[in-house]
Amino acid sequence: MNEYLKAFQAITQFSDRLLADEYQSVEIKQSATHLSLDVEPCIEEIKQSALRLKGLLQVCFKDVSQAEDVWNSKPRIAGASPVDVWEQIGELSGCDVRIRSLGKQGKYDAVVKVRKSWSDKATKLKNQWFLWDKNYQVFQRDIIGFFEKDNLHKELRHEVDYQAERVILIMENELNLIFKELQSIDIEKFEFCLECFDIKSQARFRERLQSIGSEIVSKFTEPLKYLPDSYMKTFKETLKEPVEILVHKSKMGISLVDFEESCKVIGSIMDNLILEIFEERMKLAIQTVEKAMRFYNDFLEKQARYQQETAQQRSAEKDWIEYQREQLREVQQYIEAVISNW
């Protein structure tokens, strides 16, 4: 590249001399002018190529430095205590069992508590508005008239709002048990292993750890803020839909049958939501533990391989790294020579 640049520069210089020579013909001077103009893009292309190549070369240097960083990390990984790693795998295995058990029980308890809470509220409203007769065990009326309809509507909406808050509290309490189990994972031991790796791998693992940690905190501490993808509206909006459908179903009033059906729909919505949220949160929790276990297993696999490496193998790898760096330095010097000749 440097030789080509010098050749093009020489063409330009000789053309300039010819143009300054008063004894040369007009025709040859015109040819020299055209040649100079056409050579200029060639020189510019070489300059731009040199600059691009200089930038690309820096990436290659980073690759070699990364290879050296990995090479330096091998003794750290090989020398780490495998006993500590196996202890962490054992802890995570137990954590996995406890999380699955807590999730199963928590899902059951949440459904039971929410069903009972809503059943009590719905029964109270039904007995109050449709006039339940304890003596004869029947309702004294089977429809709420037009003039009382709005009052029932307001009270039902109020109870549904209250129930939504009750669901949130129950879900938070049940999920908090799983959240505490996830918090018991020893991050310091994870960091100890992590620091054995090269800088690039450390950054990649820490980024993943931070992302997973943030997702766990947000989804376990605010369970109804992050609903499953199947829910296009908020939980409270979803619960209010059957209430509004009930009120607008008939202009004449609200029948007992329609009221009971509406209460069933509301109960079904809550059941489905609890089940979906627990399934989604349990999937997140279990995957988190599995990823941590996979990290430790991969660490042990690398450790076993690195402990088998011989001094000759490490020496050969080091020689390869130094050779690549030296070759890149030669190219760098060549590029710098091109740039300095501008």
Side-chain angles (χ1 to χ4, degrees), residues 215-337:
E215 185 178 6
I216 287 174
V217 170
S218 60
K219 288 189 173 181
F220 275 88
T221 58
E222 298 180 278
L224 294 182
K225 183 178 179 181
Y226 301 92
L227 297 179
D229 294 337
S230 57
Y231 287 82
M232 302 301 293
K233 299 180 180 180
T234 65
F235 174 54
K236 288 186 177 181
E237 289 174 338
T238 304
L239 275 185
K240 286 179 180 178
E241 281 187 4
V243 177
E244 301 308 315
I245 292 173
L246 172 67
V247 172
H248 295 95
K249 189 169 186 178
S250 172
K251 294 182 179 180
M252 299 306 296
I254 299 174
S255 71
L256 175 59
V257 174
D258 289 339
F259 180 84
E260 289 178 330
E261 181 61 30
S262 179
C263 290
K264 288 181 181 178
V265 171
I266 293 171
S268 178
I269 289 173
M270 290 186 288
D271 280 359
N272 292 335
L273 179 69
I274 291 171
L275 294 175
E276 286 191 53
I277 286 181
F278 260 92
E279 289 297 326
E280 199 271 345
R281 300 306 187 265
M282 285 299 299
K283 181 180 179 181
L284 174 61
I286 291 171
Q287 286 181 344
T288 298
V289 175
E290 289 177 345
K291 286 178 181 178
M293 293 178 68
R294 189 157 55 246
F295 169 81
Y296 284 122
N297 282 319
D298 290 345
F299 184 90
L300 290 173
E301 186 273 329
K302 286 179 182 293
Q303 185 179 66
R305 285 195 294 109
Y306 294 163
Q307 288 173 345
Q308 296 298 316
E309 292 182 354
T310 63
Q312 292 80 3
Q313 182 179 347
R314 283 189 54 77
S315 178
E317 290 177 348
K318 183 65 173 176
D319 290 342
W320 177 85
I321 291 170
E322 290 302 326
Y323 177 78
Q324 304 307 318
R325 181 175 282 124
E326 185 60 33
Q327 291 297 107
L328 291 174
R329 283 173 180 163
E330 289 184 12
V331 176
Q332 185 180 43
Q333 292 174 356
Y334 182 72
I335 294 172
E336 292 296 338

Side-chain angles (χ1 to χ4, degrees), residues 19-84:
L19 292 172
D21 189 346
E22 59 179 317
Y23 296 106
Q24 299 298 331
S25 66
V26 174
E27 290 77 14
I28 197 65
K29 287 185 176 182
Q30 287 177 342
S31 296
T33 300
H34 288 309
L35 180 58
S36 294
L37 291 174
D38 290 338
V39 163
E40 285 181 7
C42 298
I43 295 175
E44 185 61 27
E45 179 63 29
I46 291 177
K47 291 180 178 180
Q48 294 302 320
S49 296
L51 291 174
R52 286 194 296 270
L53 191 55
K54 183 179 181 180
L56 294 172
L57 198 62
Q58 297 308 310
V59 178
C60 296
F61 274 115
K62 289 181 180 178
D63 290 338
V64 174
S65 295
Q66 168 63 16
E68 186 174 42
D69 196 14
V70 171
W71 186 82
N72 287 326
S73 74
K74 289 184 176 184
R76 296 195 297 269
I77 295 174
S81 171
V83 175
D84 292 340

